Amino acid sequence: MAVLTIKNLAKTFNVGTPRASRVLDDISFDVRGGTFVSIVGPSGCGKSTLLNIISGVEEHTSGDISLTSDSGGPARMGYVFQDPRLLPWRSVMKNMMYVQNDRSEATVGRCRKYLEMVGLTKNADFFPGQLSGGMQQRVGIARAFAVEPDLLLMDEPFSHLDAITARGLRAQLQDIWAQSKKTVVFVTHDVVEAVELSDRIIVLQPGGRIFEDITIDLPRPRRQTDPTVATLQAEVLGRLETMKAMARTPEAVA
Amino acid sequence: MTDQLVRTAPPTDPEAGAKRTAKRRRLRLTGLVILGWVAMFALWEYGSWWFGSRLLPRPLEVFQAGVEIVESGNFVTDFSASVLKTFAGFAVAAAVGAPIGYLMGRYNYWRAFFHDGVTIAGTIPAIVYAVMSLIAFGLSNLGPILAVALVSAPYIALNVAEGIRGVDKSLVTMSEAFGRTPQQIRREVLVPTIVPFVFAAIRMCFAVAWKVEALTEVFGGRNGVGFQIRTEYQLYDIAAVLAWMFLFIVFMLIIERLVLAKSEARLLAWRPQERSSAL
C-alpha cells in the first residue's frame, strides 16, 4: 500500500510577483510502505523544497499530497536534516524525548533502543556540544527513527560530514533501516550514495520535473566496494550525464 | 651516523591532569582576588592617613560602625525595606518590559512601534526618574518602586527582544517538522534561547536599580538604606555613611555570587564556557 502519494504537485516561489520562479513542476509519484526512495538531482532542482512540502513546513502551489498511516490515525513523520538540529540546552536523551508525543515507559525504551542502535547509549546524558559532528548526526537519525514514523524524510544527512564518518553512518543507516523497515524518502545529490541505500531513485532535472524513475534491484546489505553496486552506480551516473546534456539544449527537454 | 631525536610523551592521566590544571587555575584566581582586596584596603588606609580620618575614616572605624548598625536593629528594618522596594520595582519592570521585548523581538511591526520609545526611556538619566517618581508619589514607598521600574524596564525589554531575535530558525523548523505545538516551541526553543539575555538584563538592572532606589530614598524616603545614609550625612558621621554603603555592597555580592552566578551556572550548564568554569 502506498504511504505517500503525490499528484501533479507544483511549487512557485513569489507567486504573482515579477520575481516568481517555479521550482517544482508536475511532480507525480507514490511511495509504497517499507521502501527506501531517493530523490537525486543537481543543486537547485527542488529536492529539499519537495521534502519541505511533504513534511508540511512549506506550502505547495498546486497538486495533491496524501499520506496514509498504518495505524489509521494521523500519519507521523520523522525528519533528518543536513545538520543535526539538536537543542543545545537539552541532553541527548531529552532531545530524543522532545519530539515524542508521550512520556510513557514504552517511548523512553524506544528512544533508548535507537540510541543503542547508533552506539550512543553511554552519551544519553551528554549535551550536543559535547559530541562530535558525526555523533550529533547519529542522534538526529536515532531521533527520527524513534518517533516510529509512517514516513521518514532525510535531507542530505551526510553532506556535512567527512567521507569516512559518512561512510560509517551510511552502513549504520542501512542496518537500522533493515531492522525497522520504515518508509524513507531520502534526498541527496550523491548518486553513489543513492544506489547504495535505495530501492528506487527518482531523478529530478533542473526546472523541477521528474526526469527518470529508476528501480534498484540489488541484494542488501550493499557496500560501495561491491562490483554489482559499482556497475549500477556507473550506469545511473551515465543517465544523469545524459540528462545534463539534454538540459543544455532546452528544446530537447521540452 | 646521524643523531635521532625521539620524544616520548610522559605517562599521564589526562583526567587527573585536567583536574590539577583546574585546581591551579582556581588557586591563582583566589590569590588574585585576595591580593586585590588587600591592595584596596592598603590604599584606603593610606588615603585616611593623607586626608585625615574625619574626611575619610579608616577601614577599622567603618567596620566598627557597621557592627553597631547591625547590632542596633536598624539594619534589618531599613535593609528589608530597601530590598523589598527594589524587588517590587524590578517585578513591575519585568512584567512590563518582558512582554514588550517579546513583541519587539517577534514582530517587526511592534519593533517599529516600541523601538524609539524604549531606547529613549533607556537613555534618560536615573536621577530624572527618581525626581519624577518623588513628585508623583511624595514620600510613600511607591516612589522608589516606580523609579526602579522605570529604569529597569527598558533594559529588560531590549535584552529580551535581542534574545528572541537570536532564536535559531532551524530549530523552529525542526520542531514544526516533528509536529511540535507553538506552546512546546515557545517553552523548549524560545525560552531557553533568551535565558542568557535575561541574565544579562538582570545583572545590568540590579546594578542600576539599587543605585536608583537608594538615590530616591536619599531625596525623599522615610525608611531604607538611602534614608539612613542621608540621616548619617546630616549628622556628618562619614564612617556610618560608608558602613551603610559597605553593607549594601556585601548584600549585592551575596546576590551576585550565591544567587545569580549559581542559577546561571545551573541553567546554562550546556554552554561550553559554563562547563569549563565548572571544572
Side-chain angles (χ1 to χ4, degrees):
Chain A
M1 193 176 110
V3 168
L4 172 68
T5 306
I6 295 178
K7 273 187 193 157
N8 310 114
L9 183 133
K11 170 71 181 175
T12 305
F13 284 114
N14 305 313
V15 180
T17 71
R19 292 187 297 127
S21 74
R22 176 157 283 215
V23 288
L24 291 171
D25 190 12
D26 196 24
I27 301 285
S28 296
F29 66 90
D30 55 27
V31 178
R32 279 189 299 110
T35 54
F36 197 118
V37 176
S38 283
I39 296 169
V40 301
S43 296
C45 70
K47 303 184 297 285
S48 295
T49 305
L50 177 58
L51 219 58
N52 285 338
I53 290 171
I54 295 171
S55 72
V57 170
E58 248 173 72
E59 296 288 333
H60 52 291
T61 314
S62 63
D64 298 307
I65 299 176
S66 73
L67 267 169
T68 315
S69 165
D70 285 340
S71 61
R76 279 222 76 183
M77 273 185 281
Y79 209 129
V80 183
F81 302 88
Q82 284 181 19
D83 46 342
R85 299 200 188 181
L86 303 173
L87 303 175
W89 38 82
R90 295 278 177 258
S91 68
V92 165
M93 191 61 184
K94 284 184 178 164
N95 264 285
M96 302 277 292
M97 291 302 292
Y98 171 53
V99 298
Q100 305 296 329
N101 284 341
D102 64 81
R103 298 279 177 273
S104 67
E105 283 291 309
T107 305
V108 174
R110 198 168 62 238
C111 288
R112 289 217 177 94
K113 181 183 91 176
Y114 280 106
L115 269 187
E116 193 183 340
M117 285 168 93
V118 295
L120 291 173
T121 309
K122 286 181 182 166
N123 305 90
D125 295 324
F126 282 39
F127 288 112
Q130 294 171 289
L131 305 177
S132 68
M135 290 162 96
Q136 289 185 30
Q137 194 60 307
R138 273 148 69 192
V139 177
I141 292 169
R143 175 180 66 183
F145 272 98
V147 298
E148 295 278 278
D150 296 295
L151 179 65
L152 178 53
L153 306 170
M154 304 181 88
D155 185 6
E156 303 194 41
F158 310 130
S159 61
H160 286 179
L161 302 174
D162 64 88
I164 294 170
T165 309
R167 190 172 169 176
L169 280 186
R170 272 197 296 273
Q172 216 161 28
L173 175 62
Q174 283 201 66
D175 293 341
I176 299 172
W177 181 78
Q179 289 176 55
S180 65
K181 280 288 175 191
K182 294 290 169 203
T183 312
V184 178
V185 175
F186 186 95
V187 160
T188 179
H189 60 266
D190 183 349
V191 173
V192 174
E193 182 175 81
V195 172
E196 188 184 342
L197 296 170
S198 319
D199 297 313
R200 208 175 129 202
I201 298 175
I202 294 169
V203 183
L204 288 188
Q205 64 188 25
R209 281 174 158 256
I210 292 179
F211 175 74
E212 201 170 1
D213 193 335
I214 307 165
T215 303
I216 308 293
D217 191 13
L218 290 175
R220 291 175 185 273
R222 301 170 192 160
R223 295 291 179 257
Q224 283 184 5
T225 45
D226 188 335
T228 52
V229 174
T231 308
L232 194 56
Q233 282 166 345
E235 191 187 315
V236 175
L237 274 169
R239 291 194 215 179
L240 275 175
E241 286 303 320
T242 310
M243 180 191 80
K244 280 184 187 168
M246 288 168 75
R248 279 194 286 270
T249 51
E251 64 280 10
V253 178
Chain B
M1 202 178 93
T2 53
D3 285 337
Q4 195 180 9
L5 180 66
V6 180
R7 279 203 194 132
T8 311
T12 51
D13 174 0
E15 205 171 312
K19 276 185 183 162
R20 260 199 310 277
T21 312
K23 194 178 171 187
R24 266 203 301 271
R25 194 170 140 258
R26 240 190 343 259
L27 278 174
R28 212 168 31 236
L29 286 175
T30 313
L32 281 170
V33 170
I34 293 169
L35 202 67
W37 279 99
V38 169
M40 192 181 73
F41 279 111
L43 200 68
W44 182 0
E45 189 72 47
Y46 178 73
S48 300
W49 172 79
W50 182 261
F51 291 111
S53 67
R54 190 168 154 71
L55 193 62
L56 181 62
R58 296 178 59 211
L60 192 64
E61 289 174 54
V62 175
F63 178 76
Q64 281 164 346
V67 171
E68 279 170 29
I69 290 168
V70 173
E71 283 174 352
S72 72
N74 286 347
F75 173 72
V76 177
T77 323
D78 288 292
F79 229 84
S80 52
S82 287
V83 169
L84 280 176
K85 280 182 262 183
T86 307
F87 277 100
F90 194 72
V92 173
V96 176
I100 290 175
Y102 178 81
L103 290 172
M104 283 173 68
R106 196 90 169 81
Y107 308 103
N108 282 334
Y109 290 112
W110 283 112
R111 185 175 178 79
F113 181 78
F114 282 118
H115 185 266
D116 289 350
V118 171
T119 309
I120 290 167
T123 55
I124 291 174
I127 195 162
V128 175
Y129 286 129
V131 172
M132 280 167 54
S133 305
L134 286 172
I135 291 169
F137 292 107
L139 293 179
S140 83
N141 285 340
L142 289 175
I145 292 173
L146 180 68
V148 169
L150 286 171
V151 166
S152 308
Y155 285 112
I156 293 176
L158 289 173
N159 274 279
V160 170
E162 278 312 302
I164 296 282
R165 287 175 79 82
V167 166
D168 185 347
K169 301 279 187 303
S170 73
L171 292 179
V172 176
T173 314
M174 177 276 291
S175 304
E176 287 168 350
F178 278 101
R180 300 303 85 193
T181 61
Q183 288 88 337
Q184 284 173 312
I185 296 173
R186 261 198 294 276
R187 197 179 61 232
E188 295 289 333
V189 181
L190 295 191
V191 171
T193 302
I194 64 169
V195 165
F197 292 88
V198 169
F199 269 105
I202 290 174
R203 279 170 194 282
M204 222 176 345
C205 283
F206 265 125
V208 180
W210 283 110
K211 291 174 200 160
V212 170
E213 199 277 334
L215 192 69
T216 317
E217 285 173 349
V218 167
F219 284 141
R222 281 187 299 193
N223 56 17
V225 175
F227 167 76
Q228 286 294 349
I229 288 174
R230 187 187 67 200
T231 310
E232 303 295 359
Y233 167 73
Q234 283 165 347
L235 298 170
Y236 207 70
D237 188 348
I238 305 295
V241 169
L242 290 177
W244 275 107
M245 185 191 80
F246 270 99
L247 289 170
F248 209 69
I249 290 169
V250 168
F251 187 77
M252 280 294 289
L253 283 176
I254 289 171
I255 294 265
E256 159 65 29
R257 298 279 159 87
L258 294 185
V259 182
L260 281 180
K262 295 270 181 206
S263 38
E264 194 173 11
R266 197 170 60 81
L267 284 169
L268 303 178
W270 56 275
R271 296 205 303 188
Q273 60 266 42
E274 297 296 334
R275 285 203 304 276
S276 61
S277 63
L279 261 178

